Amino acid sequence: MGEETGGGPGAGSTGGTTLADIAAQAGVSVSTVSKVLHDRSDVASRTRARVQRLLEQHGYLARSRPAATALAPGGLLDFVIKDIDGPWAVELIRGAEEALHAVGMGLVVSAARERGGPTAGRWLDSLATRRTRGAILVIPELDEDEDAELRRLGVPYALIAPVEEPPPGVPWVGATNWPGGLAATRHLVRLGHRRIAVIGGPPDRLSSRARVDGYRSALEEAGLPVDPDLMRHGDFRNEPAYRHALDLLRLPDRPTAIFAGSDQQALSTYRAAAALGLRVPQDVSVVGFDDLPFAEWVTPRLTTVRTPLPEMAAVAARMVLQLLGGEQPETTRVEVAGELVVRDSTAPPARG
């Protein structure tokens, strides 16, 4: 599908005139019109002038951002993420940077602040002041005003791991969260565990709900009860998970295994077990989710569900590049498959 559908970010129109209409009037492809709109250098001067006149006539260039100087030949993409200081962010940024480097483009990283705070929209203001060609957004949600401003600026974008599934036509990339939760819990069941707890992420997040749903499905498949007393929700980070793990491990009939919704939550579970004089995996088995680099180096080495974070970011970058080329991605929803990595933090439950 081309830009004449008007279905995705960056495919917009002004006054009812689409980029496909302008392409037809100029006698060029939609891809060429998109290149001129985003100031790409690989368009002949006469063609550029003809297309620019039509873009000006139909109000497209009036909404463009100020031209920048001394940019790299391929230009820049913005990478906007809420938790910029976490190991999860580092892996995503690495994947996006490698994908863009391959086509001669650079990456600008911005932190998105809490909604409603004094600096909540600063990333969008910054994006508007430079000649950013597109954006990869790792933010909980994009509101209607932000979406409208990105479209007005002519900035195509893709989302990574949004809180909820975005509206049709908005490109996004996620992980196979439900199969991951299923595989993690099945592994514990096959080891012989029957009291398996879960510490999930925020219950309002699509990824968190899917991981916990996979946990439930594995228990039901094995004929085991889904016990609400063994279920907790945190925020994928350390401190809430530590408190939840303490609560679970202090139960009179404590779980023999805990499935944590992130590697950071798993490490907090290690800490809680140590605080109570328990050993991993002899007294409690632990499974994480993400397979961040530290999972290989902690003691015991963490069994976890590998989420291919660099690949997710690379897929999002390629989606944005397709939009910049005047094309629609073959699909606007991509879930990148992960896998269970079994290491040393899981073992059969102790007898007695």
Side-chain angles (χ1 to χ4, degrees):
M1 296 174 64
E3 285 187 77
E4 60 268 28
T5 64
S13 63
T14 300
T17 302
T18 66
L19 296 189
D21 296 331
I22 291 173
Q25 292 177 44
V28 299
S29 67
V30 174
S31 175
T32 298
V33 175
S34 180
K35 289 178 181 180
V36 174
L37 181 62
H38 296 285
D39 204 22
R40 290 270 293 273
S41 60
D42 52 341
V43 180
S45 57
R46 288 186 179 181
T47 301
R48 178 183 298 278
R50 185 165 70 252
V51 172
Q52 281 180 331
R53 283 196 298 271
L54 289 167
L55 288 170
E56 290 171 358
Q57 178 182 332
H58 292 288
Y60 273 89
L61 292 187
R63 63 178 182 152
S64 63
R65 287 146 286 134
T69 59
L71 282 176
L76 299 170
L77 252 65
D78 263 57
F79 187 97
V80 183
I81 185 166
K82 178 175 178 287
D83 295 315
I84 198 169
D85 56 347
W88 202 72
V90 172
E91 293 298 295
L92 288 172
I93 293 167
R94 179 167 64 85
E97 194 279 332
E98 289 176 358
L100 294 174
H101 178 75
V103 295
M105 296 187 74
L107 193 69
V108 177
V109 179
S110 302
R113 304 304 179 190
E114 292 289 344
R115 190 173 302 280
T119 60
R122 185 172 294 175
W123 67 268
L124 191 50
D125 295 337
S126 298
L127 183 149
T129 62
R130 54 179 171 263
R131 198 183 66 180
T132 299
R133 296 187 173 178
I136 299 168
L137 307 178
V138 194
I139 56 179
E141 57 185 325
L142 189 75
D143 65 33
E144 293 181 1
D145 290 341
E146 290 166 337
D147 172 71
E149 180 65 7
L150 287 168
R151 291 173 183 270
R152 187 187 72 80
L153 293 169
V155 176
Y157 67 87
L159 298 169
I160 295 178
V163 168
E164 295 289 350
E165 186 169 341
V170 176
W172 68 278
V173 183
T176 49
N177 292 293
W178 183 86
L182 183 74
T185 312
R186 274 179 175 170
H187 169 65
L188 294 169
V189 169
R190 288 168 180 166
L191 286 173
H193 294 278
R194 295 297 178 263
R195 282 187 63 75
I196 303 170
V198 63
I199 302 175
D204 62 340
R205 294 201 65 157
L206 182 65
S207 59
S208 174
R209 293 199 306 272
R211 293 172 195 183
V212 174
D213 285 345
Y215 157 85
R216 286 195 185 98
S217 296
L219 293 182
E220 291 168 355
E221 175 186 76
L224 296 174
V226 178
D227 186 347
D229 289 341
L230 298 182
M231 302 177 70
R232 301 289 190 277
H233 289 279
D235 64 359
F236 285 142
R237 292 181 292 183
N238 299 92
E239 192 57 36
Y242 176 70
R243 296 194 301 269
H244 289 319
L246 284 177
D247 289 343
L248 289 166
L249 294 173
R250 284 171 173 157
L251 290 174
D253 187 11
R254 69 169 186 261
T256 61
I258 295 178
F259 166 42
S262 73
D263 288 350
Q264 288 176 274
Q265 289 178 315
L267 287 192
S268 295
T269 303
Y270 276 30
R271 179 181 160 215
L276 297 175
L278 301 174
R279 300 164 299 165
V280 177
Q282 292 90 337
D283 299 310
V284 59
S285 287
V286 179
V287 180
F289 206 108
D290 286 332
D291 196 26
L292 296 172
F294 63 73
E296 177 70 30
W297 300 105
V298 296
T299 302
R301 298 182 312 147
L302 180 63
T303 295
T304 185
V305 178
R306 176 174 294 156
T307 301
L309 298 170
E311 184 180 346
M312 288 169 59
V315 169
R318 289 193 288 269
M319 282 178 157
V320 176
L321 292 174
Q322 282 184 284
L323 292 168
L324 283 172
E327 302 175 5
Q328 287 292 321
E330 292 182 7
T331 177
T332 56
R333 169 179 175 166
V334 176
E335 290 189 328
V336 182
E339 61 177 328
L340 180 69
V341 181
V342 178
R343 297 193 180 102
D344 305 327
S345 65
T346 51
R351 297 187 179 276

